[in-house]
Structures are given as structure tokens and as C-alpha cells.
Amino acid sequence: DAKKPVVLVAGKVNPRIIERLGDRFELVHAEKHARLSLGANVATEVRGAVVSGDFPTDWMAELPKLEIIGSFGVGYDGVDVREAAARGITVTNTPDVLNDEVADTAIGLLINTVRQLPRAEDWLRGGNWVPGSNFPLSPLSLKGRKVGIFGLGRIGLEIARRLEGFKVAIGYHTRSRRDDVPYTYYPGLLSMAEAVDTLICIVPKTPETHKAINAEVLSALGPRGVLINVGRGWSVDETALIGALEKGIIAAAGLDVFYDEPHVPAALMEFSNVCLLPHVASASVDTRNAMADLVADNLHAWFAEGRALTPVPETPIPPRRN
Ligand code: NDP
């Protein structure tokens, strides 16, 4: 059907996106190499694209009729939104539908890190639980902790709400203070790190958040300090973190995200006081389906009604004209 808008599927995406788009769009697929491998006659017809992670920026110039890029995930640092905005391309992300899942994972990772529960399970499965043997007591506990959340947006707020049930002190650092929350505001990341012993990172990847959690911040957390990162690996100086763990400058870390995924520094794997997850904070079938639906719904809304449901703030492009 020549009338169906052509949508480019960039690399591998959640299969539900493809299912949800198949009826109304003509789908074309391309591997995510820097050069777009589509026939020129196809490339000039592409009006929409869907992607998970990085969208090759050079493709934008090769897709003259591209109107919208639906990006899977709430963080859209893999799409050059300035270039898209300059070309009049709307970019959409998948906010809110993953807040609960990511916040739940953050809490799970925090408890696993302070109580070493994954290690205890490994110990059991390893056949070590025999009469007279006990897994060593965890040196750390969640009880009485002071938690500082770096980023109190959609997900950070859900993490804070969950933490209320754990009777810990809750503070946060963002650039603008929120007047709708009861938590302690810290105008600086360092001043927060000095005041708390547990730091949870859930800020986006931006030039300002690059290696924001550095040696100084880790040292301010102190010897009982725990770092939890469910935001982006980009925000942590991994070399400084490895040094801080080696020297006992902080006590433990729980990481879902890494600087250069899927590469995890070998040194991090060596520490018994570190919990490592392969970027799974939103990775349940239900939540990934909800994210896939929102990607598809954005494209449907754009081509049926001329407006995107969840455009990113950098591409506030006027509604499409039919
Ligand atoms: P929001 O945009 O709702 O919140 C971002 C928060 O970060 C805001 O409170 C913002 O406050 C703060 N922030 C941004 N820049 C800075 C800065 N330079 N200094 C201090 N605070 C800053 O985003 P979400 O909560 O929806 O998502 C946050 C990020 O989490 C995503 O961008 C993504 O990278 C990551 N993520 C990771 C997942 C995983 O699988 N591990 C899953 C989902 C999300 P203010 O603007 O006032 O500074």
C-alpha cells in the first residue's frame, strides 16, 4: 500500500513496537552503522523512525522527509535532539510508564548492596550452607541511613516515596528546588554528599552530569558511604569509584549502569561489596511492553492526529500539518 507512511526501524527494537506499527505503516529496517544502508529511493520516503538507544546522527541528513523519531526509553541521550530540532524533526521518549519499575529496582539494588543478599544466595547455591556454617553478617544495614537522591524528577520522586517506608532520612539535589516535597534540599551535590551516607544517582546524561560523582563527592560520602547508580554510567567517574572502593573511602556500591556499556571494568567485578546489574532497571516484560506501546502510540498520534504524545522538551515542534 503506497499510501502507508514509511517508518524506519533503526537496529533492534522491542518486537512489540513492530507489531503495533505493522498495520498502519510500511516498515523498513536498517542496521545501525554510521552509513545508512537503504536504497536512496527508500530513504527519501521515510517519514518516521523508531530506535532503542543510539540513532546515528548522520542518518538525519539522508532522510529528508523524516518527521519524527520515536525513541524507546525515558533517557534520550542516544538521539542528537539539537540536530533533530534544527531539521524540524520531533523526538519522543517514554516517560512515566517506567517510573515504578525503575524505582523498585533502585530500592532492590540498595538493599542487595547494603545487606549483600546476592552473595548470600550465591553462598547457599554453592552448597556452603551445612550444619554449623553461617553466611557472614553484613557489615552494613539500611537502618538509620541518610539517603541523598541526585535527581528528583519523575523517577527520583518515586524512589523517595518508597524510601519513606524505610524510615531513613531523605534529601535531594537538583538544580531547582521543588516546593512540593518534604525532603531536605541541597543546592550542591558535594554539600549533599557531606550530609548523607547513601547517594542514589538518577539524573539524565547531559554535559553537566558528566562524571559529577567524582573522587571528592565519594570522599564526602565517607567510609560508611554507599553509592547506588540507576541513572547513567556517564555520571560516575568509574576510576575514582574503583579507587574509593579499594581504599575504603566508601563502603559499597550498587550499579545498574556503566560508563561504557556493556563493558564493566574488571576491577569492579573483583569487589565483594559491589552489586552489579546489566542495565535492567526497567526490564520487566510489563514495563517494556508499556514503553513499546508508548513509542508506537506516539507514531500513531503523529500520523493520525498531527501531534506527538510525549515529545522531548528540545523538540517542541509545532503539530504536523496534513
Ligand atoms: P526527569 O527529567 O523527570 O528528572 C531528571 C531529574 O534530574 C530532575 O529532578 C532534574 O532536576 C535533575 N537534574 C537534571 N540535570 C541535573 C543537574 N545537572 N544537576 C542536578 N540535577 C539535575 O527524568 P526521569 O526521572 O524520568 O529519568 C532520569 C534519568 O534516569 C533518565 O534520563 C535516564 O538516563 C535514567 N534512567 C535509567 C534507567 C535504567 O534502566 N537504569 C531507566 C530509566 C531512566 P533539575 O532540572 O531541577 O536540575
Side-chain angles (χ1 to χ4, degrees):
D1 185 347
K3 290 199 191 102
K4 286 182 180 176
V6 178
V7 168
L8 171 64
V9 179
K12 262 177 70 175
V13 300
N14 183 298
R16 182 155 169 141
I17 297 177
I18 295 176
E19 270 168 43
R20 289 278 328 275
L21 294 177
D23 287 349
R24 202 176 174 285
F25 300 97
E26 187 189 325
L27 300 181
V28 294
H29 299 254
E31 294 301 316
K32 285 203 270 182
H33 306 302
R35 287 290 309 182
L36 178 61
S37 52
L38 275 184
N41 53 333
V42 179
T44 53
E45 293 306 315
V46 170
R47 295 177 61 196
V50 292
V51 70
S52 180
D54 292 348
F55 186 87
T57 304
D58 289 347
W59 288 12
M60 293 186 201
E62 297 186 57
L63 301 167
K65 288 194 188 146
L66 185 60
E67 298 169 33
I68 182 167
I69 300 173
S71 178
F72 181 83
V74 66
Y76 49 91
D77 44 85
V79 183
D80 186 338
V81 288
R82 292 180 62 167
E83 182 69 18
R87 293 181 176 277
I89 300 166
T90 295
V91 177
T92 65
N93 64 341
T94 64
D96 292 317
V97 295
L98 42 55
N99 293 352
D100 288 333
E101 203 73 70
V102 177
D104 291 350
T105 309
I107 299 295
L109 183 55
L110 172 61
I111 296 176
N112 279 350
T113 303
V114 292
R115 295 297 327 288
Q116 303 193 327
L117 301 181
R119 286 189 66 214
E121 182 171 355
D122 284 348
W123 183 85
L124 179 155
R125 287 177 185 269
N128 297 294
W129 198 21
V130 293
S133 71
N134 290 302
F135 184 71
L137 308 185
S138 71
L140 303 175
S141 166
L142 187 57
K143 281 175 68 67
R145 284 197 165 263
K146 293 182 182 149
V147 182
I149 306 175
F150 179 28
L152 199 74
R154 290 169 294 239
I155 299 168
L157 186 60
E158 287 300 333
I159 294 173
R161 288 187 173 140
R162 281 158 175 73
L163 285 171
E164 289 183 28
F166 294 93
K167 298 177 270 187
V168 293
I170 305 169
Y172 71 101
H173 165 62
T174 52
R175 289 163 303 180
S176 12
R177 182 187 199 129
R178 295 183 63 139
D179 55 18
D180 58 345
V181 296
Y183 316 122
T184 309
Y185 177 67
Y186 296 95
L189 176 59
L190 187 58
S191 65
M192 181 167 78
E194 280 161 357
V196 304
D197 52 28
T198 308
L199 178 60
I200 300 181
C201 173
I202 184 67
V203 284
K205 175 175 174 178
T206 67
E208 293 166 338
T209 62
H210 186 231
K211 297 190 181 177
I213 299 173
N214 55 22
E216 202 181 2
V217 168
L218 293 168
S219 153
L221 269 184
R224 292 185 56 77
V226 173
L227 171 67
I228 301 297
N229 191 7
V230 285
R232 285 285 184 264
W234 166 266
S235 303
V236 174
D237 181 336
E238 268 175 9
T239 308
L241 174 61
I242 291 164
L245 288 162
E246 263 161 10
K247 297 184 194 112
I249 289 167
I250 67 165
L255 309 170
D256 182 49
V257 286
F258 300 88
Y259 196 86
D260 179 26
E261 294 175 11
H263 168 70
V264 178
L268 282 178
M269 306 259 208
E270 297 297 317
F271 295 114
S272 59
N273 51 345
V274 170
C275 272
L276 304 168
L277 296 177
H279 201 146
V280 293
S282 70
S284 72
V285 171
D286 275 0
T287 294
R288 289 288 171 86
N289 281 348
M291 292 161 64
D293 282 342
L294 188 49
V295 171
D297 289 344
N298 266 294
L299 268 84
H300 284 297
W302 181 259
F303 288 100
E305 298 151 33
R307 68 187 176 93
L309 303 178
T310 52
V312 303
E314 292 87 347
T315 62
I317 290 163
R320 153 176 183 273
R321 293 219 189 107
N322 279 299

